[in-house]
Amino acid sequence: MSSAAAKPILYGYFRSSCSWRVRIALALKGIAYDLVPVNLVKDGGQQFSAEFKAVNPMQQVPALKIDGITLSQSLAIIHYLEDTHPNPRLLPQDPKKRAQVRMIADHIASGIQPLQNLSVLKQMGEKKMEWAQHCITAGFQALEQILQHTAGRYCVGDEVSMADLCLVPQVANAERFKVDMGPYPTITRINKALLELEAFRVSHPSRQPDTPAELQA
Amino acid sequence: MSSAAAKPILYGYFRSSCSWRVRIALALKGIAYDLVPVNLVKDGGQQFSAEFKAVNPMQQVPALKIDGITLSQSLAIIHYLEDTHPNPRLLPQDPKKRAQVRMIADHIASGIQPLQNLSVLKQMGEKKMEWAQHCITAGFQALEQILQHTAGRYCVGDEVSMADLCLVPQVANAERFKVDMGPYPTITRINKALLELEAFRVSHPSRQPDTPAELQA
């Protein structure tokens, strides 16, 4: 009866890299959820509907209804899942390693993704592709260097962390924008290792209920 | 002798809103530090120097040398300070309230600030001012609505939190870009209450060692 006992509802879009981050976290932590697809391009963007604005005033996906509250912002959602479902953990116990995980996650979530999202690209007109490539390239150059100091099998050591949940969807964006991944062997290696894990595969944009038939894996 | 015992070094810029977030956290937690100013406009941007790139491959401020490591990304730095200097706390104990704090902080740090930062504005040419106003206005409309559900004296309840550390510098940016604050009475009220606190005053851009004379308070 209580809202806390209800299945969480994820408002997301198959191709949204921020939605994918949350789908990976839900999969890793084994949390079952219902999906409400929000198509970011159809009807001028369903995220701008009055109906969705009532769910998330930020008019963005992902949003997660869980335990009687509605959260938005992918990393805030993932932190909440970490606080309430600590196993398996997505943040290392050591504060320095935890800081490195958050630094990499925020580098992607604040330093790369927002610069190449739909709203900015619209403003760039003809320079759209070039701008997206520029932002991702600048961000990946820094990230490749940082990973030299932090990476093991994954972004920070050998445990999957919040940083990895940001990395894989950002590499997928890079591929969509035809960024040359040659200069980033560490990013490429980690991305490949992560894509072998079940939680990254079931959450993949090519395998969602709202994935158009022609893009399905 | 050990690097862990050395005073932290903050690489920052008086006017950088992300640097200000970290200065507030350091002030609230009573952590003394040395400042290395990095002028984001002089010499084509000192953050692009080889010397600073060695400190922070992301070529951005703030960066904090602390306990033998160098961290970047303001919220990752603040989380690290929270983990290692928990008093006074900047995250509530209740997981739902903590999620609301992070949602608001990330909304500003990923959803507003990156869209109106220097690198994007450069691309916008003549539309620069209009674009910055558009991004901040859209972000503040959502934030004003969210604060209806979360705010007490401050962004979430009556305790200063990580959300407040993001709010005040973003309002200062809004003022620089001449955003009409009329439609945001809650944001305005909270900002005013926060600016009365000592930690927000000593960390203010008008009172830093690298503040130019004509901008000093």
Side-chain angles (χ1 to χ4, degrees):
Chain A
M1 278 296 289
S2 87
S3 59
K7 228 195 231 181
I9 298 173
L10 176 67
Y11 297 82
Y13 181 50
F14 75 102
R15 188 134 74 178
S16 146
S17 61
C18 303
S19 299
W20 191 4
R21 294 174 194 156
V22 173
R23 292 196 302 259
I24 302 168
L26 290 164
L28 281 169
K29 291 178 180 290
I31 303 169
Y33 63 94
D34 289 320
L35 173 76
V36 175
V38 179
N39 191 313
L40 300 188
V41 290
K42 208 174 143 187
D43 312 327
Q46 295 175 342
Q47 73 276 27
F48 300 119
S49 71
E51 195 187 344
F52 186 67
K53 198 180 176 183
V55 173
N56 179 15
M58 297 175 194
Q59 300 176 288
Q60 292 171 332
V61 292
L64 188 70
K65 268 197 189 169
I66 187 168
D67 303 337
I69 55 171
T70 303
L71 295 173
S72 59
Q73 294 297 331
S74 59
L75 291 184
I77 294 171
I78 294 167
H79 266 112
Y80 179 76
L81 297 176
E82 182 75 358
D83 283 345
T84 55
H85 298 73
N87 295 311
R89 65 168 181 240
L90 298 176
L91 287 169
Q93 277 182 304
D94 173 62
K96 289 182 189 177
K97 286 207 185 320
R98 198 152 60 223
Q100 290 173 331
V101 166
R102 286 181 169 131
M103 175 174 71
I104 293 169
D106 287 349
H107 174 58
I108 296 171
S110 293
I112 304 178
Q113 192 279 331
L115 303 179
Q116 50 97 84
N117 83 353
L118 223 51
S119 71
V120 176
L121 291 187
K122 269 185 197 162
Q123 291 298 316
M124 294 295 171
E126 282 181 8
K127 290 190 298 181
K128 183 171 136 168
M129 194 78 176
E130 195 189 330
W131 170 253
Q133 289 174 344
H134 163 76
C135 299
I136 297 173
T137 299
F140 276 10
Q141 276 170 4
L143 183 56
E144 181 72 20
Q145 258 188 274
I146 289 162
L147 291 173
Q148 308 301 318
H149 302 286
T150 63
R153 181 161 174 79
Y154 305 121
C155 284
V156 178
D158 296 325
E159 280 180 37
V160 173
S161 73
M162 212 176 274
D164 300 301
L165 275 55
C166 295
L167 184 83
V168 167
Q170 187 59 55
V171 171
N173 281 350
E175 288 166 352
R176 274 177 64 205
F177 291 117
K178 306 195 191 308
V179 170
D180 173 15
M181 291 296 293
Y184 319 116
T186 316
I187 295 176
T188 302
R189 171 182 65 73
I190 295 170
N191 183 62
K192 196 167 166 243
L194 288 163
L195 281 173
E196 285 169 15
L197 305 177
E198 183 65 9
F200 288 76
R201 290 151 62 111
V202 296
S203 59
H204 194 279
S206 66
R207 293 179 61 182
Q208 300 313 301
D210 59 331
T211 309
E214 67 274 20
L215 295 175
Q216 277 172 27
Chain B
M1 279 295 287
S2 87
S3 59
K7 225 194 234 183
I9 299 173
L10 176 67
Y11 297 82
Y13 181 49
F14 75 102
R15 188 134 74 180
S16 145
S17 62
C18 303
S19 299
W20 191 5
R21 294 174 194 156
V22 173
R23 292 197 301 262
I24 302 168
L26 291 164
L28 282 169
K29 291 178 179 290
I31 303 170
Y33 63 95
D34 290 320
L35 173 75
V36 175
V38 179
N39 191 312
L40 300 188
V41 290
K42 209 174 142 187
D43 313 327
Q46 295 175 344
Q47 73 276 25
F48 299 119
S49 72
E51 196 187 343
F52 186 68
K53 198 179 175 183
V55 172
N56 180 14
M58 296 175 194
Q59 301 176 286
Q60 292 170 332
V61 292
L64 188 71
K65 267 197 189 169
I66 187 166
D67 303 338
I69 55 171
T70 303
L71 295 173
S72 58
Q73 293 295 330
S74 59
L75 292 183
I77 295 172
I78 295 167
H79 266 112
Y80 178 76
L81 297 177
E82 181 76 357
D83 282 345
T84 55
H85 298 73
N87 294 311
R89 65 168 182 241
L90 298 175
L91 287 169
Q93 277 182 304
D94 173 62
K96 289 182 190 178
K97 285 207 186 320
R98 198 152 60 224
Q100 290 173 331
V101 166
R102 287 181 169 129
M103 176 174 70
I104 293 169
D106 287 349
H107 174 57
I108 295 171
S110 294
I112 305 178
Q113 193 281 331
L115 302 179
Q116 51 96 88
N117 84 352
L118 224 50
S119 71
V120 176
L121 291 188
K122 270 184 198 162
Q123 292 298 315
M124 294 295 172
E126 284 180 8
K127 287 190 298 181
K128 186 172 135 166
M129 194 77 176
E130 193 189 331
W131 171 252
Q133 288 174 344
H134 163 76
C135 298
I136 298 173
T137 298
F140 276 10
Q141 276 170 4
L143 184 55
E144 181 73 18
Q145 257 187 276
I146 288 162
L147 291 172
Q148 308 301 318
H149 302 287
T150 63
R153 180 161 174 78
Y154 305 121
C155 283
V156 178
D158 296 324
E159 280 180 38
V160 172
S161 74
M162 212 175 274
D164 300 301
L165 276 56
C166 295
L167 184 83
V168 167
Q170 187 59 55
V171 171
N173 280 351
E175 287 165 352
R176 274 178 64 208
F177 291 117
K178 306 194 189 310
V179 170
D180 172 16
M181 292 297 293
Y184 318 116
T186 316
I187 296 176
T188 302
R189 170 181 67 72
I190 296 170
N191 182 62
K192 196 168 167 242
L194 289 163
L195 280 173
E196 286 169 13
L197 304 178
E198 182 64 9
F200 288 75
R201 289 150 63 112
V202 297
S203 60
H204 195 279
S206 65
R207 293 179 61 181
Q208 300 313 301
D210 59 331
T211 309
E214 68 275 18
L215 295 176
Q216 276 172 25

